[in-house]
Amino acid sequence: MTLQVEHLTKRFGEHLLFEDLTFSAAAPAVLWAPSGWGKTTLLRILLGLDKPDSGSVAGVGRAAAVFQEDRLCPQLSAVDNVLLVLPDGKACRSAVEEDFALLGMTGEALTLPAARLSGGQKRRAALLRAVWAKADTRLLDEPFTGLDPVSMEKAAALLNRRCAGGPVLLATHDRAAIEALGWPVLRLDELKGGTGRPLP
Amino acid sequence: MKSKKKSWPARLAAVAFWLALWQWAAVAVGQEVFLVSPIRAAGTLLQLLPTGDFWARVAFSSGRILLGFGLGALCSVALAVGARLSRTVELLLDPVMQLVKATPVASFVILALVWVRGKDLSILISFLMAVPVLYSAVRTGIQSTDVQLLEMARVFRLPAGRRLRAIWLPAVLPAFREGCRTALGLCWKSGVAAEVIGLPDGSIGDALYRAKITLSTGDLFAWTFVIICLSALFERAFLALLGLAVRRVCGEGEP
């Protein structure tokens, strides 16, 4: 599947966030821009949660996401939050737990309700939920926030192993994350054709 | 810092203080018709307890009041969901709920006597008392549901059953539980009041009325104590069951 974005324009009132944005992605890519340039808004449009002022999006299909916020069910454990989005969740429990172990989460951290996890642990759960979900396109908004450099390297390696087959758009302004992933970079400031301006 | 939770000895001492005051007042008044002593009221209650008539009345009134509450709970959940799904339903229901909430129980009882048999009056009155309280509680729960989680569910295309268990119920159940606590108390008070006016044979309300016309103040106090106990018992039992459900849903269960 190929993600197609054509002539996308989005304004917030008088403020032009981006204009005539056109690009496509059939494989994993990083969407880079400084903070406030509309990465999150663009991802929300791709997810169908926000509407553009003009332009079109095609080829998203079934999406999985890491949102700007973790958006975990607070009463469920990290593992159960991942299993929640899987049709055959129970069958995958041990495999999901192995992935959590790869990211450095084991033992009690896997059984505690998400409300009681640290920021980094929640982020790992949100990331694995997006990795495990059955999806045509994965849209990841700053998925490494709160992870230490070693965990970030591990998470990037996991993404490379598990999500190499289809379109993945990972929004970040973190250059260390871009290096760890080694994916092609789409620069939002260039895609904007120089018409966009950062939010004040 | 001292715990604010009262200890049992302190609670018992408080109860003993009021009982002693009541006993003193009863002795001071010296007329059982006006104020019966706690010892006399307890004696009357002990006489009532082994009789079949007592338990039949308890079953009669409890069954009807709880039936009214149960129907009210089902109806209020359905209406609150309807109001969530349709702005028109919400607009139509709001004045009705305000009206039901503000109307005196006595007005409902007298009007309802025209519509239903006295025997079923307490079902209707309990229902009417429960609906606005529980409707409001469920609405509050629905409104407190995390919008970001709902967006997440939409993106990941979670089936309706999982959305209900993982997102809606954890938000709604605690508010519903609090609503039930208030509604159950209201149902008992208004249900028995309805029986006192409607006078269905074999009800607690009927027993209260008989106590009044025969000036049996001991019976009046004993039955009042029974009503308080029944209300507290059913409230605790129901809230315990609901608490289990809340823990099961809001705990660390399987998705």
Side-chain angles (χ1 to χ4, degrees), chain B residues 111-228:
Chain B
L111 185 62
L113 267 173
V114 181
W115 299 336
V116 295
R117 293 174 301 170
K119 211 175 102 178
D120 301 325
L121 191 62
S122 54
I123 302 175
L124 179 62
I125 295 303
S126 302
F127 172 84
L128 287 172
M129 291 302 109
V131 167
V133 174
L134 293 176
Y135 171 80
S136 172
V138 177
R139 293 278 327 263
T140 304
I142 287 175
Q143 280 159 1
S144 72
T145 306
D146 190 335
V147 178
Q148 292 190 338
L149 285 182
L150 292 175
E151 272 189 0
M152 179 279 291
R154 193 175 136 198
V155 167
F156 283 97
R157 301 187 190 181
L158 286 193
R162 289 191 187 194
R163 285 182 203 212
L164 184 70
R165 268 193 75 180
I167 301 170
W168 287 109
L169 284 181
V172 171
L173 274 179
F176 182 66
R177 189 171 180 272
E178 284 313 303
C180 284
R181 187 193 293 273
T182 309
L184 264 170
L186 267 177
C187 284
W188 271 100
K189 281 179 194 163
S190 50
V192 172
E195 287 179 348
V196 171
I197 298 173
L199 296 176
D201 285 338
S203 68
I204 292 178
D206 178 51
L208 277 176
Y209 184 75
R210 282 168 196 272
K212 179 223 159 194
I213 57 173
T214 57
L215 300 175
S216 309
T217 320
D219 280 11
L220 183 67
F221 274 78
W223 278 111
T224 304
F225 182 71
V226 170
I227 294 164
I228 293 168

Side-chain angles (χ1 to χ4, degrees), chain A:
Chain A
M1 238 172 153
T2 301
L3 173 66
Q4 292 275 1
V5 173
E6 288 184 357
H7 309 295
L8 215 59
T9 297
K10 180 70 182 174
R11 292 170 191 276
F12 281 120
E14 289 299 302
H15 179 79
L16 177 66
L17 200 56
F18 43 76
E19 186 178 35
D20 204 25
L21 198 66
T22 299
F23 67 89
S24 64
V30 170
L31 182 70
W32 182 88
S35 293
W37 277 67
K39 298 188 293 289
T40 297
T41 304
L42 175 59
L43 292 191
R44 285 182 60 81
I45 290 171
L46 299 182
L47 287 168
L49 299 174
D50 228 333
K51 285 194 174 154
D53 293 316
S54 61
S56 64
V57 173
V60 176
R62 191 177 177 135
V66 172
F67 299 90
Q68 194 174 34
E69 314 81 13
D70 300 311
R71 301 197 185 191
L72 301 175
C73 293
Q75 78 281 8
L76 298 180
S77 68
V79 176
D80 286 336
N81 264 287
V82 177
L83 301 186
L84 181 70
V85 302
L86 304 181
D88 50 350
K90 283 178 184 171
C92 304
R93 179 176 284 276
S94 59
V96 170
E97 284 175 352
E98 281 172 24
D99 274 357
F100 270 107
L102 276 176
L103 297 185
M105 265 176 83
T106 52
E108 198 190 18
L110 297 185
T111 56
L112 283 175
R116 292 175 58 192
L117 297 176
S118 71
Q121 288 170 329
K122 284 180 188 168
R123 208 59 183 158
R124 288 170 174 91
L127 177 63
L128 282 181
R129 180 175 62 188
V131 167
W132 271 89
K134 305 278 179 264
D136 303 309
T137 307
R138 285 170 224 282
L139 300 163
L140 317 176
D141 193 355
E142 300 282 5
F144 304 137
T145 304
L147 299 191
D148 58 82
V150 176
S151 300
M152 192 190 71
E153 294 276 350
K154 287 178 180 171
L158 183 82
L159 278 175
N160 268 320
R161 272 202 312 281
R162 303 289 293 279
C163 306
V168 180
L169 210 53
L170 186 148
T172 186
H173 66 277
D174 182 353
R175 290 180 188 278
I178 296 169
E179 282 171 24
L181 286 162
W183 294 351
V185 177
L186 297 167
R187 289 181 58 121
L188 191 56
D189 51 345
E190 288 174 1
L191 293 170
K192 280 175 167 181
T195 54
R197 296 285 181 276
L199 285 171

Side-chain angles (χ1 to χ4, degrees), chain B residues 40-50 54 218-219 222-223 225-226 229:
Chain B
R40 175 92 172 109
T44 309
L45 181 61
L46 287 175
Q47 282 174 353
L48 282 173
L49 280 175
F54 171 82
D219 280 11
W223 278 111
F225 182 71
V226 170
C229 289

Side-chain angles (χ1 to χ4, degrees), chain B residues 67-82:
Chain B
L67 179 62
F69 169 78
L71 291 173
L74 288 176
C75 184
S76 52
V77 170
L79 292 177
V81 171

